[in-house]
């Protein structure tokens, strides 16, 4: 049976930009109550403003458990929570050998510990009520690692493992866990990153639609675009020497290495400044 979005109470992290913003706006238009958490409190407030009392925003540092407690207290009037969209993430790119230690730590703090902190903060209430849904936004590179984004790939592999473990852990308590794996999405985070051959770039709204579909009918894993999942898992099942040949024939493993530094300059500066 399909679940109704109208009437749901949903938290969206990283909701001021990109996938998070598209998701928050889409769910709000469908009648959900949405709490937007983001480091950029001012921008988050502009996203929430058109929707009146059904959408609220507060500053949230997903890496800090105390910030989670403050955030949940501030938005408690919209709860109890039916769904948590763990979306906040950063993607500084470059050679691992030249990556500052602070950037390495921050990628994991935001992309992995941010998701763990959110789950620890919100899931207990879902378990107590016997229902709820956690949607973790990972990346295709959480299944298929690529060069020039080693730490980012590693963080998204961690998100995949965490999601699969939590699905098994929370299922007996009536809480669903869905993993979302987008390819290159046309947002600031992926500025200057080309799409792989044969894969049309997707938009933040495309991902938001898939998140909506997951909330309506929970599934374990959804890719964006969805057709990429089959070929990717098929090639991963092949012998390593075969996949190496296929990799040389395609450019999927080179998309991050071919990112345009000039196009990424503004995003990289902001991401690295926040890591400082």
């Amino acid at each position: 049976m399909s679940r109704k979005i109208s009437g749901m109470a949903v938290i969206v992290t990283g909701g001021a930009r990109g996938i998070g913003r598209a998701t928050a706006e889409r769910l709000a238009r469908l009648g959900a109550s949405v709490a937007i958490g983001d480091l950029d409190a001012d921008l988050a407030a502009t996203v929430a403003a058109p929707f009146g009392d059904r959408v609220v925003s507060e500053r949230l540092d997903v890496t800090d458990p105390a910030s989670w407690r403050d955030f949940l207290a501030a938005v408690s009037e919209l709860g109890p929570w039916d769904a948590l969209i763990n979306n906040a993430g950063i993607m500084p790119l470059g050679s691992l050998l030249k990556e500052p230690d602070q950037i390495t730590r921050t990628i994991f703090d935001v992309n992995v510990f941010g998701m763990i902190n959110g789950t620890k903060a919100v899931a207990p209430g879902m378990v107590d009520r016997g229902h709820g849904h956690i949607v973790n936004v990972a990346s295709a590179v959480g299944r298929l690692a690529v060069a020039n984004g080693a730490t980012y790939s590693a963080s998204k592999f961690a998100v995949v493992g965490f999601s699969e473990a939590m699905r098994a852990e929370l299922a007996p308590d009536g809480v669903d866990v869905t993993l979302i794996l987008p390819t290159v999405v046309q947002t600031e985070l992926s500025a200057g990153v080309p799409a792989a051959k044969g894969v049309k770039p997707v938009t933040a709204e495309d991902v938001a639609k898939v998140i909506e579909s997951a909330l309506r009918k929970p599934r374990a894993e959804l890719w964006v675009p969805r057709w990429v999942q089959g070929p990717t898992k098929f090639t991963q099942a092949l012998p390593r020497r075969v996949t190496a040949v296929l990799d040389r024939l395609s450019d999927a493993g080179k998309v991050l290495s071919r990112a345009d530094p000039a196009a990424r300059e503004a995003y990289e500066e902001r991401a690295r400044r926040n890591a400082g």
Side-chain angles (χ1 to χ4, degrees):
M1 181 180 296
S2 178
R3 298 172 179 174
K4 292 183 179 179
I5 301 298
S6 180
M8 281 189 179
V10 183
I11 294 170
V12 181
T13 70
R17 294 178 171 86
I19 293 170
R21 177 171 187 162
T23 300
E25 291 176 337
R26 184 175 187 85
L27 297 179
R29 290 194 300 268
L30 292 169
S33 297
V34 182
I36 298 172
D38 201 285
L39 272 177
D40 191 335
D42 292 338
L43 186 58
T46 67
V47 177
F51 298 99
D53 295 340
R54 281 193 303 104
V55 180
V56 299
S57 66
E58 289 290 337
R59 185 183 184 278
L60 173 63
D61 178 355
V62 296
T63 71
D64 181 4
S67 183
W68 269 103
R69 290 191 290 272
D70 292 342
F71 171 78
L72 291 175
V75 301
S76 61
E77 71 274 12
L78 292 189
W81 305 107
D82 298 298
L84 165 65
I85 315 299
N86 277 317
N87 164 74
I90 61 171
M91 190 177 74
L93 297 180
S95 166
L96 177 71
L97 305 185
K98 298 177 182 179
E99 182 176 275
D101 291 342
Q102 185 59 48
I103 295 296
T104 303
R105 285 191 292 269
T106 301
I107 291 172
F108 264 79
D109 281 344
V110 176
N111 295 359
V112 182
F113 289 106
M115 197 162 289
I116 293 173
N117 292 337
T119 301
K120 284 184 172 182
V122 179
M126 295 178 174
V127 170
D128 289 344
R129 293 188 300 277
H131 70 88
H133 195 167
I134 297 173
V135 178
N136 293 332
V137 180
S139 167
V141 302
R143 292 286 191 193
L144 182 66
V146 294
N148 230 49
T151 303
Y152 179 72
S153 291
S155 74
K156 293 304 183 177
F157 266 75
V159 169
V160 170
F162 175 74
S163 300
E164 292 182 345
M166 290 311 302
R167 184 180 306 116
E169 185 171 328
L170 295 176
D173 297 306
V175 179
D176 297 298
V177 176
T178 296
L179 179 64
I180 306 293
L181 297 110
T183 57
V184 176
V185 184
Q186 293 175 321
T187 65
E188 184 188 22
L189 181 144
S190 62
V193 177
K197 291 179 181 178
V199 180
K200 182 181 178 181
V202 298
T203 66
E205 185 62 26
D206 292 330
V207 183
K209 290 177 183 177
V210 173
I211 292 173
E212 176 203 335
S213 75
L215 293 178
R216 291 187 184 276
K217 186 178 179 180
R219 277 155 287 187
E221 183 175 318
L222 292 170
W223 287 58
V224 192
R226 297 190 189 186
W227 68 265
V228 174
Q229 179 174 358
T232 300
K233 293 200 170 182
F234 172 75
T235 57
Q236 288 181 315
L238 296 172
R240 175 70 68 175
R241 63 183 182 277
V242 177
T243 58
V245 172
L246 293 175
D247 187 56
R248 287 195 296 270
L249 294 174
S250 73
D251 66 347
K254 304 180 184 69
V255 292
L256 298 187
S257 299
R258 294 193 292 110
D260 180 356
R264 290 192 59 75
E265 184 175 0
Y267 172 78
E268 292 280 348
E269 191 279 330
R270 183 168 61 83
R272 292 165 189 268
R273 182 178 66 248
N274 290 338

